């Protein structure tokens, strides 16, 4: 299974693409047969996947969710990442990032502006209809995931708390050290980013900088927040096995969940996750200190068919001033 790391990094690093876009391959199973959603755009007279260009300040996951809703009216949640594609356009090179998204029986309706028709069809029919040959690559990955029972997943999001005030500048209790101004902006950024996966429950350290990091999202969505003392730096140092047990328990869930903790706790979290994934995927984990930057997210996709088995990874950079 493909791993996706630092999608936004590719933009920041000044890659050769001049246009970035994102979208989703919506899928469902009808009468035990896999079907995918194609759209027809009258402007180009082509068949493609729902997608669109990145708005200023928008993350790739946000863009994918927004574009699918605007074009076909589906309020999707992102599933596993699929291969991105690149092709020539007038400004230069366009790079499109895709995710799979289970649509179940939700109706898809063309917006009547960019899209004049939608169709659910088999992957084989989709291959024949797709106008851009490169659009077949994410389709092949989706079919392979379906056949290996790795397509139906739920997300576990590991969040390092946002940037806090420096330790040296704080004289009160360590657990009360608050977010810096940049950290507060990162928390608001995380509120938007996490909407792409809709975690309904958040497990967090009880220290102020973790609580403040997840508060904007929790307040906006009414997600349930559970404070876990073992996720603090101090309790982890005394009982790291307790953190391992927390992560192991989370992996038995089957609904979108987030965990917010501190840099010194991350090695235990990552080591526990590594046991539930193939070796090559484990090697791509951020194993070197600092593991994740303040406000950064590591997302693991956990199989529904094989509980606890991790089938895909992605990382998302924090907001930076």
């Amino acid at each position: 299974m493909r791993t996706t790391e630092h999608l936004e990094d590719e933009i920041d690093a000044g890659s050769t693409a001049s246009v970035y876009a994102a979208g989703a391959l919506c899928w469902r199973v009808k009468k035990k047969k896999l079907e995918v959603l194609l759209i027809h755009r009258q402007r180009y007279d082509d068949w493609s996947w729902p997608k669109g260009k990145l708005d200023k300040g928008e993350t790739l996951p946000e863009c994918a969710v927004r574009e699918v809703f605007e074009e076909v009216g589906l309020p999707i949640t992102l599933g596993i990442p699929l291969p991105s594609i690149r092709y020539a356009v007038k400004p230069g090179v366009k790079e499109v990032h895709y995710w799979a998204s289970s649509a179940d029986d939700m109706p898809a309706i063309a917006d009547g502006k960019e899209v004049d028709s939608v169709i659910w069809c088999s992957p084989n029919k989709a291959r024949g209809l797709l106008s851009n040959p490169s659009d077949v690559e994410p389709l092949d990955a989706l079919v392979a995931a379906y056949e290996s029972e790795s397509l139906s997943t739920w997300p576990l999001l590991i969040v390092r708390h946002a940037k806090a005030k420096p330790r040296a500048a704080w004289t009160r209790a360590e657990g009360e050290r608050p977010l810096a101004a940049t950290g507060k902006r990162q928390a608001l950024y995380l509120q938007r980013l996490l909407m792409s996966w809709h975690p309904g429950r958040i497990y967090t350290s009880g220290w102020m900088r973790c609580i403040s990091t997840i508060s904007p999202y929790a307040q906006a969505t009414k997600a349930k927040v559970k404070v876990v003392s073992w996720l603090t730096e101090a309790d982890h140092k005394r009982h790291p096995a307790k953190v391992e047990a927390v992560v192991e328990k989370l992996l038995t869930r089957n609904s979108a969940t987030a965990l917010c903790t501190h840099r010194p706790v991350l090695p235990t979290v990552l080591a526990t996750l590594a046991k539930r994934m193939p070796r090559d995927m484990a090697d791509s984990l951020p194993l070197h200190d600092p593991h994740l930057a303040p406000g950064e997210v590591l997302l693991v996709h956990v199989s529904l068919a094989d509980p606890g088995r991790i089938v895909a990874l992605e990382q998302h950079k924090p907001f930076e001033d």
Side-chain angles (χ1 to χ4, degrees):
M1 178 61 60
R2 171 181 179 261
T3 62
T4 302
E5 297 188 21
H6 292 83
L7 295 181
E8 286 78 21
D9 234 356
E10 298 177 17
I11 298 174
D12 297 339
S15 65
T16 56
S18 52
V19 179
Y20 290 89
L25 276 64
C26 300
W27 64 274
R28 68 184 187 185
V29 177
K30 298 286 282 189
K31 298 180 180 179
K32 298 184 179 181
K33 299 289 186 180
L34 178 65
E35 294 182 343
V36 292
L37 179 71
L38 291 183
I39 64 169
H40 183 267
R41 300 181 299 174
Q42 62 269 40
R43 179 182 176 186
Y44 303 102
D45 189 23
D46 69 351
W47 288 96
S48 65
W49 310 116
K51 66 178 183 300
K53 290 187 291 186
L54 208 61
D55 284 345
K56 185 177 180 181
E58 191 175 42
T59 64
L60 289 161
E62 285 179 276
C63 177
V65 171
R66 175 182 58 77
E67 285 290 342
V68 172
F69 184 74
E70 289 178 357
E71 293 188 345
V72 298
L74 291 178
I76 65 168
T77 297
L78 299 182
I80 62 171
L82 299 171
S84 58
I85 65 170
R86 296 164 65 93
Y87 54 91
V89 293
K90 284 186 178 179
V93 175
K94 185 173 185 177
E95 185 168 286
V96 188
H97 292 263
Y98 286 112
W99 283 262
S101 179
S102 173
D104 295 323
D105 290 323
M106 293 188 294
I109 302 172
D111 68 357
K113 299 175 182 178
E114 292 188 50
V115 179
D116 64 350
S117 182
V118 300
I119 183 175
W120 285 100
C121 62
S122 69
N124 283 338
K125 184 172 182 179
R127 289 189 184 94
L129 287 173
L130 285 167
S131 302
N132 185 344
S134 59
D135 275 339
V136 173
E137 186 177 357
L139 174 62
D140 286 344
L142 184 143
V143 171
Y146 175 73
E147 292 176 345
S148 65
E149 296 189 328
S150 300
L151 186 54
S152 293
T153 61
W154 62 272
L156 174 59
L157 301 101
I158 309 301
V159 182
R160 179 181 170 187
H161 68 73
K163 186 175 179 61
K165 288 190 175 181
R167 292 179 193 266
W170 187 251
T171 57
R172 294 163 59 183
E174 179 63 14
E176 297 176 5
R177 184 155 59 93
L179 295 183
T182 295
K184 293 176 182 178
R185 289 188 283 273
Q186 289 175 335
L188 293 173
Y189 178 87
L190 278 168
Q191 174 193 334
R192 294 170 25 224
L193 179 65
L194 296 185
M195 292 287 190
S196 299
W197 297 279
H198 299 290
R201 185 177 290 270
I202 304 171
Y203 291 73
T204 181
S205 157
W207 286 7
M208 180 62 67
R209 49 195 183 272
C210 282
I211 296 294
S212 298
T213 296
I214 56 92
S215 285
Y217 174 80
Q219 292 171 5
T221 63
K222 308 303 180 186
K224 294 181 180 180
V225 176
K226 183 174 182 178
V227 174
V228 181
S229 63
W230 308 116
L231 295 175
T232 65
E233 291 185 32
D235 282 10
H236 167 262
K237 187 175 182 178
R238 289 192 291 267
H239 302 288
K242 296 290 187 179
V243 172
E244 181 177 357
V246 169
V247 177
E248 287 286 358
K249 184 177 180 180
L250 291 186
L251 288 169
T252 67
R253 294 179 56 82
N254 60 3
S255 60
T257 304
L259 180 151
C260 185
T261 191
H262 309 261
R263 179 188 59 79
V265 184
L266 289 173
T268 300
V269 173
L270 297 175
T272 308
L273 295 175
K275 298 174 185 177
R276 298 299 193 101
M277 63 183 68
R279 178 61 183 271
D280 60 339
M281 189 182 297
D283 289 342
S284 69
L285 285 168
L287 299 176
H288 300 293
D289 192 30
H291 313 291
L292 298 174
E296 189 170 9
V297 177
L298 170 71
L299 194 158
V300 300
H301 296 269
V302 188
S303 171
L304 285 169
D306 184 4
R309 179 170 66 97
I310 296 171
V311 300
L313 300 175
E314 39 186 315
Q315 278 179 241
H316 296 277
K317 288 184 65 179
F319 169 83
E320 295 182 359
D321 289 324

